Amino acid sequence: MKLILLGAPGAGKGTQADILCKELNIPTISTGNILRAAIKNGTPVGMQAEAYMKAGKLVPDEIIIDIIHDRVAEADCAEGYILDGVPRTIAQAEALEKAGIVFDDVISIEISDETIMERMTGRRVCEHCGTSYHLVAVPPKTPGVCDKCGGKLVQRHDDEPETVKHRLEVYHKETEPLKDFYAKRGLLKSVENQPTVAATSQAILHALGR
Ligand code: AMP
């Protein structure tokens, strides 16, 4: 199963992808996590991406397409994968199609900008493995420590309020048109954000016919 998770920054794509990849037994490919790891490791891609990410801007399409192209060719992607945070622009979606990378379903998580602004202040990520937590909705077992790897939990620079506002504008302008793009291909399934993480996962699995 090849799946795209669409939704605004803070819609819960990363959290849902973590749950769905276990449920469906396929890997998640998060360009945000791949880029953050590249920055941490000081790779050429990381150095190119860093300024864009800090400003809440999109990283150039060419960089993203190269990342996806290489990642989906790896052995663990043979049975499918979940894309989290990519494609982010029509140009990226067209480039994936051109490269022969096609999808079975596209899930769009629907949530208001107001709810997102409230939510983002509580988000924390593991600086080591990239797992997402939320101080209220998905707290770690030990405050400040990743359940999975013991890494330190930090607030992302791009989760600060002004940057979140900008990222939401970018989402509405650049990414939201993808709903129409995939609706025209008969792939779009819209799922309303639910009061709990588990209820949203259920709604997604239901939309996927599971
Ligand atoms: P995310 O973790 O998906 O919220 O992504 C964090 C940041 O990484 C974004 O604000 C962008 O700067 C960059 N990024 C991640 N995925 C993409 C993408 N598909 N296209 C462009 N920029 C991206």
Side-chain angles (χ1 to χ4, degrees), residues 7 10 16 30 37 40 55-56 67 71-72 91 93-94 97 104 118 170 182 191 197 199 205-206 209:
Q16 292 302 331
S30 155
K40 199 168 160 235
I67 290 174
R71 183 65 186 89
V72 299
E94 286 172 343
E97 245 178 30
D104 301 302
E118 282 165 25
V170 171
Y182 288 115
V191 172
V197 169
L205 288 167
H206 182 74

Side-chain angles (χ1 to χ4, degrees), residues 15 27 32 89 122 127 135 137 143 175 179 192:
T15 304
T89 62
E127 65 175 4
L135 296 181
T175 308
K179 290 201 266 181
E192 287 295 327

Side-chain angles (χ1 to χ4, degrees), residues 15-28:
T15 304
Q16 292 302 331
D18 275 352
I19 296 168
L20 291 171
C21 73
K22 284 187 203 113
E23 194 74 34
L24 304 170
N25 205 21
I26 48 178
T28 294

Side-chain angles (χ1 to χ4, degrees), residues 31-32 35-36 53 57-59 64 85-86 88 92 156 158 167:
T31 39
L35 290 168
R36 280 184 286 277
M53 290 178 73
K57 292 185 181 158
L58 293 183
V59 171
I64 300 295
V86 63
R88 271 292 220 286
Q92 289 179 15
R156 283 166 43 176
D158 57 355
R167 291 170 69 206

Side-chain angles (χ1 to χ4, degrees), residues 172-184:
H172 290 303
K173 185 162 169 266
E174 305 278 354
T175 308
E176 210 165 17
L178 287 174
K179 290 201 266 181
D180 209 37
F181 181 93
Y182 288 115
K184 285 194 179 120

Side-chain angles (χ1 to χ4, degrees), residues 12-182:
K13 297 186 297 293
T15 304
Q16 292 302 331
D18 275 352
I19 296 168
L20 291 171
C21 73
K22 284 187 203 113
E23 194 74 34
L24 304 170
N25 205 21
I26 48 178
T28 294
I29 304 175
S30 155
T31 39
N33 284 352
I34 292 171
L35 290 168
R36 280 184 286 277
I39 291 173
K40 199 168 160 235
N41 296 328
T43 69
V45 164
M47 289 194 290
Q48 279 177 283
E50 190 167 15
Y52 295 99
M53 290 178 73
K54 274 205 169 137
K57 292 185 181 158
L58 293 183
V59 171
D61 291 337
E62 309 80 68
I63 296 178
I64 300 295
I65 297 306
D66 282 351
I67 290 174
I68 295 300
H69 201 263
D70 292 351
R71 183 65 186 89
V72 299
E74 287 178 33
D76 64 332
C77 291
E79 298 297 317
Y81 39 80
I82 302 169
L83 294 193
D84 159 19
V86 63
R88 271 292 220 286
T89 62
I90 296 278
Q92 289 179 15
E94 286 172 343
L96 292 177
E97 245 178 30
K98 216 166 154 200
I101 301 171
V102 292
F103 301 94
D104 301 302
D105 289 287
V106 177
I107 297 284
S108 172
I109 304 175
E110 303 294 333
I111 178 169
S112 73
D113 287 4
E114 293 72 33
T115 309
I116 285 173
M117 289 301 292
E118 282 165 25
R119 221 185 231 192
M120 296 295 253
T121 52
R123 177 151 83 169
R124 297 293 180 271
V125 293
C126 173
E127 65 175 4
H128 182 65
C129 75
T131 300
S132 287
Y133 295 86
H134 190 279
L135 296 181
V136 181
V138 194
K141 291 193 184 101
T142 309
V145 180
C146 179
D147 294 350
K148 282 192 190 159
C149 76
K152 187 176 161 200
L153 302 186
V154 296
Q155 182 167 37
R156 283 166 43 176
H157 287 299
D158 57 355
D159 280 350
E160 287 158 15
E162 274 313 301
T163 318
V164 172
K165 238 186 224 168
H166 180 63
R167 291 170 69 206
L168 283 170
E169 282 164 21
V170 171
Y171 168 75
H172 290 303
K173 185 162 169 266
E174 305 278 354
T175 308
E176 210 165 17
L178 287 174
K179 290 201 266 181
D180 209 37
F181 181 93
Y182 288 115

